[in-house]
Amino acid sequence: MARHHQFRAKVIAVSDSVALANAAADRIVARIAANGGRVAICLAGGSSPKQLYGLLATAAWRKRIPWHRVHWFIGDERFVAAGDPLNNMSMARRTVLDACAPSANIHPITTDSPDPDAAAGRYERELQAFYGSQELDALRPLFDVVLLGVGPDGHTASLFPGRPAIEETERWVVGVDMAPVEPLVPRVTLTLPALASCREMLFEAAGAEKRAILARVLGGENLPANRAHSIGETVWLADQAALPEDFNGQ
Ligand code: 6PG
C-alpha cells in the first residue's frame, strides 16, 4: 500500500538526556495540573524513560504530583513474568511508582495469562472499565499523556513495521507473537487508536543511537512511530545527539 507520509508532530530540541528528562517531567506535570479530576498517564517501556521516572521520584518533582488522583498505565509489555528485569511496568514500579503511587492507581499489563492475546483482552477490559465505555470519544481522551519511545526499526510501543498489530483499528490492545527486535519475546501492545486517545503524545529520543531512525522519522517515512499521533498534541523531545546534523527546527 503506497501511502504518502509526512512528519506532522512538533519537535522540541534539548541539549542532553538530563534536559530531556526535565522537559518531559515538566510537560507531564503541566498536563496533570490542567486536569483537576482523575488523570491517566500511559507510560513507555524500554530504556529511554528511565531517567524521567527516576526524576519524578525525587523530592522536588514528587511533591508537584497529586499522586492520589493520577493513574498509571503502560503502552506495551514484554510477555515475561512481572519480576523479570525485562518487564516494562516493573521498571516503572522500581524507579518511581512503588515509592510514590497508591498501588490501586498502578495498572500493569498482567502476564500470567496463558498467552499474549488473553493478556491483551484483559487489559482492554481494564482500560474500558476505567474509561467507562467501549467506544473512544474524541471529546474525552482516554489518557492525559501517552509517553512513547522509538526503536531502531521505527517501532513504537510494540507496533512493529509490517506486522498486523499496526493496522488494528478496532481493538484497544492486542497480542504480538514475537518481536522482531530485542528483546525477542512476545508482547502485548496498545493499538494506534488507543494510543491516539490522549491530550498529549510525548516521544523521547536521546543519544546518538537514535539519530539514524530519527532522521527517517523526521523525513516522513511510513513507520509506526510516524503513524502514532495524538488526537490532541504530538510532541517529540529529542536531544542534540539524536537530532540529525542538519536539523534546524520545525
Ligand atoms: C519496549 C518499548 C519500545 C521502546 C523502544 C525504544 O517495550 O521495548 O515500549 O517501544 O520504547 O523500543 O527502546 P529504548 O528506549 O530501550 O531505546
Side-chain angles (χ1 to χ4, degrees), residues 44-49 76 78 88 148-152 155-158 183 187 210:
S47 56
S48 297
D76 76 316
R78 288 90 176 259
N88 284 336
L148 290 170
V150 59
H155 79 260
T156 193
S158 285
R187 314 285 187 103
K210 299 287 177 192

Side-chain angles (χ1 to χ4, degrees), residues 126-165:
E126 178 165 353
L127 283 170
Q128 292 176 344
F130 178 86
Y131 185 66
S133 171
Q134 296 181 11
E135 301 291 329
L136 291 167
D137 175 355
L139 297 176
R140 192 170 68 83
L142 171 57
F143 300 114
D144 293 84
V145 179
V146 168
L147 191 69
L148 290 170
V150 59
D153 57 349
H155 79 260
T156 193
S158 285
L159 299 170
F160 297 98
R163 298 295 180 97

Side-chain angles (χ1 to χ4, degrees), residues 74-80 88 108-111 113 115-124 157-160 165 171-178 185-191:
I74 191 90
D76 76 316
E77 191 53 270
R78 288 90 176 259
F79 199 67
V80 295
N88 284 336
I109 294 176
T110 52
T111 50
S113 297
D115 56 62
D117 285 330
R122 250 161 91 171
Y123 205 55
E124 181 167 280
S158 285
L159 299 170
F160 297 98
R171 300 278 314 271
W172 295 17
V173 189
V174 295
V176 174
D177 286 345
M178 193 48 81
V185 294
R187 314 285 187 103
V188 178
T189 187
L190 269 64
T191 59

Side-chain angles (χ1 to χ4, degrees), residues 24-77:
D26 245 331
R27 298 192 70 92
I28 288 170
V29 165
R31 286 288 170 185
I32 294 172
N35 177 351
R38 188 184 65 169
V39 174
I41 312 260
C42 185
L43 296 174
S47 56
S48 297
K50 266 190 201 164
Q51 242 176 316
L52 164 67
Y53 298 165
L55 191 62
L56 293 175
T58 60
W61 285 95
R62 185 177 176 160
K63 66 170 189 266
R64 295 179 62 189
I65 297 175
W67 294 92
H68 61 281
R69 65 180 182 88
V70 183
H71 288 256
W72 306 90
F73 296 86
I74 191 90
D76 76 316
E77 191 53 270

Side-chain angles (χ1 to χ4, degrees), residues 168-239:
E168 180 61 43
T169 57
E170 299 298 327
R171 300 278 314 271
W172 295 17
V173 189
V174 295
V176 174
D177 286 345
M178 193 48 81
V181 297
E182 294 282 350
L184 304 175
V185 294
R187 314 285 187 103
V188 178
T189 187
L190 269 64
T191 59
L192 287 180
L195 294 169
S197 184
C198 61
R199 296 182 193 283
E200 177 167 336
M201 183 178 280
L202 191 56
F203 282 89
E204 284 191 309
E209 67 279 10
K210 299 287 177 192
R211 187 179 277 194
I213 190 59
L214 203 54
R216 291 173 61 193
V217 169
L218 295 173
E221 212 176 296
N222 180 1
L223 296 166
N226 246 349
R227 291 177 59 184
H229 269 279
S230 171
I231 56 172
E233 196 179 0
T234 306
V235 174
W236 281 73
L237 287 177
D239 77 351

